[in-house]
Amino acid sequence: MNKIHQISAEHLAIEQIGEIIKNGTKLELSEDARKRIIRCREYLDNKIKESETPIYGVTTGFGSLCKISIDKDSLSQLQKNLVMSHACGIGDRVPNEIVKIMLLLKIQSLSYGYSACQLKTIERLIDFFNNDIYPIVYMQGSLGASGDLVPLAHLSLPILGMGEVEYKGEIFSGADILKKMNWDAIELVSKEGLALLNGTQNMNAFAVWALLQSERLSEWADIIGTMSLEAYDGRIEPFTHAVHAVRPHKGQIDTAARIRELLEGSELIKQPKVNVQDPYSFRCMPQVHGASKDTITYVKSVIDIEVNAATDNPTVCPDEDLVISAGNFHGEPIAQPMDFLAIALCELSNISERRIYKLVSGTRNLPSFLVAKPGVNSGFMIPQYTAASIVSQSKTYCTPASVDSIPSSQGQEDHVSMGANAATKLYQVVLNTERVLAIELFNAAQALEFRRPLKSSPMIESIHQSYRECVPFIDTDEFMAPHIAKSVEFLRK
């Protein structure tokens, strides 16, 4: 039996989202959410009947066409046209896992009762989520200003019987999937198209996904860095609590404590050391890994707010008897943090690559390129090249997207966040960081075996043993790419 998560106004934590996606949890609306949705829709319907004043996006056109009033008989067509005309995405597909987070975030945002969607529209989005029907959404096209107009248009088209979806590994048209599931196409009413398309759910879904991966990769960075420290015959003194107590950044203190914990019971760390100091990539792990931890914590606090917010426009407030056109769709509050998170993750890969370089450098009684007979064998020479290439690419991705703006809609939308570009760049940096850490693990596990018969700590030895079940010790040159791929998979288990 699948678990059920009730959509409500209760706080939705990022960890909950991760569990919902991972466990295949189904969604349903709470009774309170249903009442909020119905009440807001009824309020707007009455407002349209009673008011002769134009309401942006409800009885007017969109963007620079906001001065054009729309007659009541055309309000439904206006919303349908909006969704169709805004579906201009291109490029690679957004991965299904992130599309599913988009659906969840859109459902959550619309459920607060500030968007004036029909109940049946939100319930159809839930149908898509619960049946693992993934609308085809594209990476490119959003300015992150009036929300994620383009990707959210692609997300919404299939409930109208248009666009495309992936279902059970096959591609269906929107019309065909509705027919297959015996569902009617949704007929949009006033403001609904705008509610579906305005909002930050595309870039926010990338941010949620990236944060879930970031916390995992931050943990792995400490573990793999500690294995490399042991393999490099490094010193424990730089991780002493007294050092970090006088510069008490939380991430720094936590990283030093974690590395001390990982080293408990190690024979290698206790043996007398010839070298007085270690290179920064080993010695400064608390400072560098810790700074990334602190950034992850900050970004998480911002994205947590965004997850639990209504971000479409106009905002419909029945209690205050207000329909206000403002700017909650603007992506700037999360665009800057996503750029920051990309930098934090890039630094985890940057320092990781430097440790890889030291491990293959033929110093501290390790063989050149970590093979017993270098020369005939290139050994681990080229995995370091690969890591360096990946890190260099990530550095280019870390040029902030959020500092750019190109005016659109005839100047009405004259400042945009480029948050969707920040999101897709962040996605690539996450993947790149995972790959570099996997390559470091590949190297560190190899180097550790040249320290035998001395052993590392029980924790590190246990991880090393588990890793050896899928990636072997390299005695002579082999086809290395499959081992790197398996190393990446190991980090995902």
Side-chain angles (χ1 to χ4, degrees), residues 463-483:
I463 292 165
H464 185 272
Q465 183 178 351
S466 296
Y467 178 68
R468 278 286 171 257
E469 292 174 5
C470 59
V471 177
F473 176 81
I474 305 299
D475 189 38
T476 56
D477 278 352
E478 293 187 22
F479 181 22
M480 300 292 249
H483 296 317

Side-chain angles (χ1 to χ4, degrees), residues 144-146 330 332 402-408 411-417:
S146 296
H330 203 291
E332 197 71 23
S402 57
V403 299
D404 187 31
S405 178
I406 299 176
S408 57
Q412 179 74 1
E413 298 165 7
D414 57 346
H415 180 276
V416 301
S417 76

Side-chain angles (χ1 to χ4, degrees), residues 268-462:
L268 282 167
I269 205 67
K270 292 177 182 176
Q271 71 171 342
K273 305 295 179 182
V274 175
N275 302 282
V276 177
Q277 281 189 337
D278 293 328
Y280 287 0
S281 57
F282 296 92
R283 192 187 347 156
C284 298
M285 280 194 284
Q287 290 78 9
V288 178
H289 290 198
S292 292
K293 283 184 176 68
D294 288 340
T295 300
I296 292 168
T297 299
Y298 162 68
V299 175
K300 188 175 182 180
S301 72
V302 176
I303 301 305
D304 181 84
I305 293 170
E306 193 76 358
V307 164
N308 293 277
T311 58
D312 58 298
N313 180 64
T315 304
V316 181
C317 304
D319 288 338
E320 291 82 8
D321 190 22
L322 294 171
V323 182
I324 304 174
S325 179
N328 274 353
F329 48 59
H330 203 291
E332 197 71 23
I334 63 173
Q336 291 184 29
M338 284 191 289
D339 281 334
F340 195 11
L341 183 57
I343 291 169
L345 290 171
C346 183
E347 279 301 277
L348 289 180
S349 67
N350 201 1
I351 195 171
S352 173
E353 185 278 327
R354 290 293 79 200
R355 292 191 295 262
I356 295 168
Y357 182 85
K358 289 296 183 182
L359 290 173
V360 301
S361 63
T363 57
R364 297 203 177 181
N365 295 318
L366 290 173
S368 289
F369 305 116
L370 300 178
V371 283
K373 296 180 180 179
V376 174
N377 298 291
S378 295
F380 283 70
M381 179 190 294
I382 305 303
Q384 184 268 325
Y385 286 38
T386 304
S389 170
I390 295 169
V391 170
S392 178
Q393 185 185 65
S394 284
K395 290 174 184 177
T396 65
Y397 287 146
C398 285
T399 301
S402 57
V403 299
D404 187 31
S405 178
I406 299 176
S408 57
S409 195
Q410 298 178 344
Q412 179 74 1
E413 298 165 7
D414 57 346
H415 180 276
V416 301
S417 76
M418 296 298 179
N421 286 347
T424 53
K425 291 194 305 94
L426 173 59
Y427 172 76
Q428 294 298 331
V429 172
V430 169
L431 296 180
N432 282 355
T433 300
E434 182 179 56
R435 291 162 185 163
V436 173
L437 288 172
I439 292 171
E440 184 186 358
L441 176 59
F442 188 31
N443 280 259
Q446 178 83 2
L448 194 62
E449 301 214 24
F450 288 103
R451 298 302 180 189
R452 302 305 186 207
L454 293 177
K455 289 190 175 182
S456 183
S457 68
M459 282 191 188
I460 294 299
E461 291 291 344
S462 175

Side-chain angles (χ1 to χ4, degrees), residues 41 57-58 62 70-84 118 160 186-193:
R41 183 65 237 172
V58 180
F62 310 105
I70 308 298
D71 66 84
K72 292 183 180 180
D73 293 337
S74 301
L75 296 184
S76 178
Q77 189 64 43
L78 170 70
Q79 301 301 318
K80 185 175 181 179
N81 288 352
L82 177 74
V83 179
M84 289 190 294
Q118 298 177 97
L160 310 183
I186 295 295
E187 294 291 334
L188 297 178
V189 295
S190 60
K191 192 194 176 294
E192 278 202 290

